[in-house]
Amino acid sequence: IEFPSSDEDSRQEQQSSSTSGSGSNSQVDESKKKSGDSVPVNSRPHYDGKGGKTPHPAVIANQKKKIEEERQKAALDSQKLAEEKAEVAQLLEEEGISEIPEHLRGKVSFLDFLTGIPHPDDELLYAVPVCAPYDALSKFKFRVKLTPGGMRKGKASRLAVEVFSRVQGASSREKELIKCIPESELITVMMG
């Protein structure tokens, strides 16, 4: 069994379109040429001798080249990531900071980093106002009891900040963070 080559295949297509005799087919062929649907000779499928078509060897070579480039890029990326992890680990070791083990990282949420009782060696990033029953806040370092009365909301929030700034044993960083809380946020939390 002989299979036509790609050149014979294209000649047969031309003959079939010219023998059909209708003017509409020639218009379709011209529109295909204009739209760029023609396939370059290098990328036309070859017959494999078993009745199936295989891509041209040049196309296969290009695909292999792209795959190899992607593998090399992935290897470089993983190498850079490993170098960065080693550098971070070295810096943490120099600073005396212990990292959370990998098997526990999935169990730790952002809320686990919040505390009502900061230790002196904790690095404080911000203060978060909280409104809760007074008994629930009994172990918190900074707390005030809100009672119903004639005091306006803004004045109550400013008074709370003033009380917190006079707490004995509070670090300057804690006082600074409390003063940085916007008054509107304090009022919103108080209103509940």
Side-chain angles (χ1 to χ4, degrees):
I1 299 175
E2 289 187 20
F3 293 99
S5 69
S6 59
D7 292 333
E8 290 176 355
D9 196 29
S10 63
R11 274 190 243 126
Q12 286 179 354
E13 289 176 324
Q14 289 176 356
Q15 287 177 355
S16 65
S17 65
S18 63
T19 57
S20 63
S22 70
S24 63
N25 282 345
S26 62
Q27 290 174 352
V28 171
D29 290 340
E30 288 177 22
S31 67
K32 282 183 181 178
K33 289 177 186 176
K34 289 178 185 176
S35 67
D37 285 344
S38 62
V39 179
V41 176
N42 290 352
S43 64
R44 287 189 184 140
H46 285 287
Y47 292 98
D48 62 1
K50 298 177 185 173
K53 295 182 180 180
T54 60
H56 193 275
V59 172
I60 294 173
N62 284 340
Q63 290 174 346
K64 286 181 179 179
K65 185 179 177 182
K66 286 180 183 178
I67 291 170
E68 185 60 33
E69 288 173 358
E70 289 174 2
R71 284 182 185 159
Q72 289 175 353
K73 184 179 177 185
L76 285 174
D77 289 345
S78 64
Q79 182 181 3
K80 285 181 184 178
L81 184 63
E83 289 173 0
E84 288 176 5
K85 282 185 177 181
E87 183 179 351
V88 167
Q90 181 184 3
L91 290 172
L92 289 174
E93 185 178 326
E94 288 173 4
E95 296 290 324
I97 300 171
S98 62
E99 199 171 334
I100 298 171
E102 294 262 348
H103 66 281
L104 294 178
R105 285 188 190 163
K107 297 177 182 177
V108 176
S109 72
F110 183 71
L111 293 175
D112 293 326
F113 292 105
L114 299 177
T115 180
I117 312 164
H119 295 286
D121 59 338
D122 285 343
E123 181 182 346
L124 301 177
L125 303 174
Y126 48 86
V128 179
V130 177
C131 187
Y134 195 72
D135 291 337
L137 302 175
S138 64
K139 293 184 180 179
F140 279 49
K141 187 173 187 177
F142 299 95
R143 64 184 183 280
V144 291
K145 187 171 187 175
L146 297 176
T147 56
M151 191 178 290
R152 293 188 354 233
K153 300 176 282 191
K155 188 173 182 180
S157 66
R158 285 190 295 274
L159 182 62
V161 170
E162 185 181 327
V163 168
F164 292 152
S165 65
R166 285 190 260 137
V167 169
Q168 292 181 356
S171 69
S172 60
R173 177 68 177 160
E174 291 171 337
K175 292 176 183 178
E176 178 186 326
L177 289 172
I178 290 171
K179 288 180 182 177
C180 289
I181 300 172
E183 188 175 323
S184 60
E185 189 174 339
L186 290 170
I187 293 170
T188 305
V189 169
M190 282 185 193
M191 298 307 292

